[in-house]
Amino acid sequence: MRFNLSISLRLTLWFSAIFLCGFVVFGVFIWFDLSASLGSGKDRTLGRRYERMVDLLKHAEKDSDALLQTKYREFVDATPEGGLIQVYSLSGERLLPQAGSAAMQFPWPAVPSALAEYRSDVWIGNHPYRIYLRSATLNGAPVRICVAGSLMDNVSLLARLDEIFERSIPAMLLISALAGYFISHRALRPVVRLTESARSITIGNLAARLPVSPAGDELAQLAETCNEMLSRLEEAVKRITQFTADASHELRSPISFIRTTSEYALRTPGLDAETTEAFENIVSETEHSSSLLEDMLLLARTDAGRAQIVYEQVYMAEIVREVVARMRVVAKEKRQRIVERLPDARLQLSGDAMLLRRLVWILVDNAVKYTPCEGRIEVALVRNEQRALFTVSDNGIGIPETSLPHIFDRFFRVDASRGEQEGTGLGLAIGKWIAEAHRATITARSIDQAGTTFEVAFPLNGNP
Ligand code: ADP
């Protein structure tokens, strides 16, 4: 399974993981170092007790047993953990009596005879001890001195350290995760800005460029590279647009020449039916071609940012009424009913009257084209809060759901064969451009084989 984590989240996880590893390594090092120094501290203490015991035995060489035992008791009383010192003969016999209950309860280990020096840790119940065993001499004979000392303080200190680590690691982890997220978020902010700027660049504003940070870092280089690419794209699009505009323009005259010549030829008296039909076909094809060329020319101009838009206050209801009146002629032939709903005759929009007329024409013309005979079309213009809603609904052939997202694309036609209709596939692309030039949104809702509604929502406040 693949997880798509954002870069800032991945950086945060890495940051936290590295921090955790560092903290664990540091903690383990501190723990062992402290444990070793506490252990060697204990060894030094036991060593000093051994030295003092050796000293006592040396000074008691000529003393009687009773005196030696008295001195031993005094030594035991004066020494911390003094009871945990024993003197053995080489055969393992205890040479001095147990002094105190601690010494009596202490499970003294069997004394290994061959070892000169010996150290070991033992647990008695829950209590840890270190035992230190070393040779010495008493009255010229070799003896073994066994010194024991509690390791409880060391163990408690290390347990406390464990506790501190257990509590601080989650807290440190949280802090490092937050810090990692904050730092990565900050570091990636320029990337977010670049993404937003790049997203706002479309074919309509290819002259825009990404902001280049003055830091001259990797992101600045990326922005510069993207800008160079945009320049090349802009140049290429300009050339294509210019070519489309020139080609459309150049083709206008020959096509209109063919059309007028064919119309003229049609007037020739005595033409047979076949020739007449051929000329009629030429006229109809040239009509289609010139409207295609006009549409292409307009779109090429809009792409190049050269389309002329003259904004003024227009009475939208008037424009709608005018277009509908002209469309009624065609609708009548198909026995279609066009219903107008224009409650607000004074509704004014800031826009280009010619372009708005074209937009209304495209939508009503499509409704008539794609609605069968005797169908019903409703054209409405209503005020809705801060918007003017212009809608064209029909109960025609509808648009399949899969085609709906593409109907505003250039040259898209649902299926040229499904209707008998002539068309270029550019009408709605032009309509969308006109709507956007007026800061309006254009949307389509449709149910296949049941009908379609186009809605254009114009903002009523301010000029475009
Ligand atoms: P065309 O010149 O083909 O009408 P448009 O860009 O105006 O081009 O429309 C694109 C396509 O959207 C049309 O070919 C048609 O299939 C579909 N269409 C547009 N309006 C309607 C409508 N009112 N009802 C059904 N289909 C429609």
Side-chain angles (χ1 to χ4, degrees):
M1 196 170 24
R2 264 179 72 90
F3 292 104
N4 291 325
L5 298 179
S6 69
I7 292 184
S8 61
L9 204 60
R10 266 185 280 164
L11 282 177
T12 305
L13 289 178
W14 273 108
F15 194 75
S16 308
I18 291 169
F19 196 85
L20 182 67
C21 287
F23 203 69
V24 167
V25 169
F26 173 75
V28 167
F29 175 77
I30 290 279
W31 197 94
F32 278 103
D33 190 60
L34 184 69
S35 164
S37 29
L38 288 173
S40 55
K42 196 72 196 173
D43 287 342
R44 277 195 301 278
T45 308
L46 296 182
R48 273 196 302 274
R49 282 182 203 158
Y50 161 83
E51 298 291 347
R52 287 174 57 208
M53 191 64 204
V54 169
D55 218 33
L56 183 136
L57 295 180
K58 204 154 104 196
H59 287 99
E61 287 209 332
K62 300 284 173 270
D63 294 343
S64 64
D65 278 0
L67 188 58
L68 174 63
Q69 282 180 20
T70 314
K71 282 184 176 176
Y72 172 62
R73 259 177 211 294
E74 282 169 7
F75 171 80
V76 165
D77 291 343
T79 310
E81 297 180 308
L84 300 181
I85 300 176
Q86 288 295 319
V87 181
Y88 295 97
S89 68
L90 274 195
S91 59
E93 185 193 339
R94 199 172 276 144
L95 297 177
L96 292 170
Q98 306 258 43
S101 61
M104 287 195 213
Q105 285 160 16
F106 196 77
W108 294 102
V111 179
S113 55
L115 277 172
E117 195 168 347
Y118 164 88
R119 240 184 223 102
S120 88
D121 293 346
V122 291
W123 282 84
I124 298 168
N126 291 329
H127 209 118
Y129 287 92
R130 175 158 296 178
I131 292 172
Y132 178 51
L133 190 118
R134 198 169 160 187
S135 310
T137 48
L138 176 61
N139 292 329
V143 291
R144 292 287 170 82
I145 299 175
C146 189
V147 190
S150 168
L151 289 173
M152 201 59 198
D153 287 352
N154 298 11
V155 170
S156 311
L157 208 67
L158 290 173
R160 176 87 189 109
L161 191 66
D162 288 347
E163 212 175 287
I164 290 173
F165 283 146
E166 270 164 29
R167 284 194 190 159
S168 57
I169 283 183
M172 297 294 264
L173 203 61
L174 184 72
I175 292 170
S176 69
L178 288 176
Y181 190 73
F182 176 75
I183 292 169
S184 55
H185 213 69
R186 246 181 100 91
L188 290 174
R189 216 179 283 159
V191 178
V192 175
R193 272 201 295 272
L194 275 186
T195 312
E196 275 166 8
S197 310
R199 231 178 240 152
S200 68
I201 298 176
T202 60
I203 191 117
N205 65 340
L206 269 180
R209 292 290 176 267
L210 300 179
V212 180
S213 96
D217 52 14
E218 289 88 339
L219 287 178
Q221 284 170 24
L222 176 69
E224 270 166 11
T225 312
C226 287
N227 283 344
E228 283 163 21
M229 188 182 74
L230 281 173
S231 302
R232 288 197 296 274
L233 275 177
E234 190 190 2
E235 200 47 47
V237 168
K238 245 187 215 158
R239 257 183 275 135
I240 294 169
T241 310
Q242 192 56 46
F243 172 77
T244 315
D246 291 347
S248 313
H249 192 78
E250 291 302 318
L251 283 170
R252 261 166 149 189
S253 314
I255 286 183
S256 75
F257 176 74
I258 297 170
R259 185 177 166 180
T260 33
T261 311
S262 307
E263 280 169 346
Y264 182 74
L266 268 175
R267 277 189 239 128
T268 313
L271 273 185
D272 59 78
E274 223 171 277
T275 317
T276 307
E277 196 192 335
F279 277 124
E280 277 170 355
N281 282 344
I282 294 175
V283 171
S284 117
E285 276 307 311
T286 48
E287 267 170 13
H288 176 74
S289 301
S290 31
S291 80
L292 176 66
L293 283 178
E294 288 307 321
D295 289 352
M296 281 172 65
L297 195 59
L298 175 66
L299 284 172
R301 284 198 185 121
T302 64
D303 289 345
R306 290 207 315 262
Q308 284 190 351
I309 308 176
V310 184
Y311 293 105
E312 56 187 333
Q313 289 299 313
V314 292
Y315 289 109
M316 188 64 184
E318 229 168 69
I319 290 179
V320 175
R321 200 166 291 134
E322 195 186 301
V323 173
V324 169
R326 284 171 59 197
M327 284 309 301
R328 275 190 205 284
V329 183
V330 191
K332 206 169 161 194
E333 280 175 24
K334 292 177 84 179
R335 296 179 305 285
Q336 291 168 334
R337 201 153 72 87
I338 303 186
V339 181
E340 268 178 3
R341 203 154 58 83
L342 308 168
D344 193 347
R346 311 289 312 156
L347 197 152
Q348 272 194 320
L349 286 181
S350 168
D352 184 309
M354 220 173 70
L355 290 178
L356 289 173
R357 199 169 291 123
R358 182 92 189 260
L359 171 65
V360 176
W361 177 273
I362 290 168
L363 297 182
V364 181
D365 180 48
N366 275 351
V368 171
K369 276 199 299 187
Y370 300 107
T371 301
C373 293
E374 290 169 4
R376 183 180 187 277
I377 295 156
E378 184 179 307
V379 181
L381 178 71
V382 291
R383 193 188 286 265
N384 174 321
E385 292 169 2
Q386 284 307 302
R387 296 180 312 165
L389 294 183
F390 170 61
T391 48
V392 180
S393 317
D394 62 60
N395 60 356
I397 58 173
I399 301 168
E401 210 181 321
T402 47
S403 301
L404 213 49
H406 306 289
I407 52 164
F408 295 104
D409 295 349
R410 291 176 188 186
F411 293 111
F412 180 84
R413 306 197 70 202
V414 171
D415 182 357
S417 65
R418 71 184 186 142
E420 70 288 0
Q421 310 307 332
E422 294 266 307
T424 61
L426 289 177
L428 289 178
I430 293 175
K432 187 166 192 256
W433 169 75
I434 296 175
E436 282 169 359
H438 289 80
R439 286 200 295 131
T441 51
I442 180 165
T443 47
R445 295 190 301 276
S446 186
I447 298 172
D448 199 14
Q449 302 304 329
T452 307
T453 299
F454 281 92
E455 182 185 272
V456 189
F458 293 93
L460 282 176
N461 48 347
N463 293 324

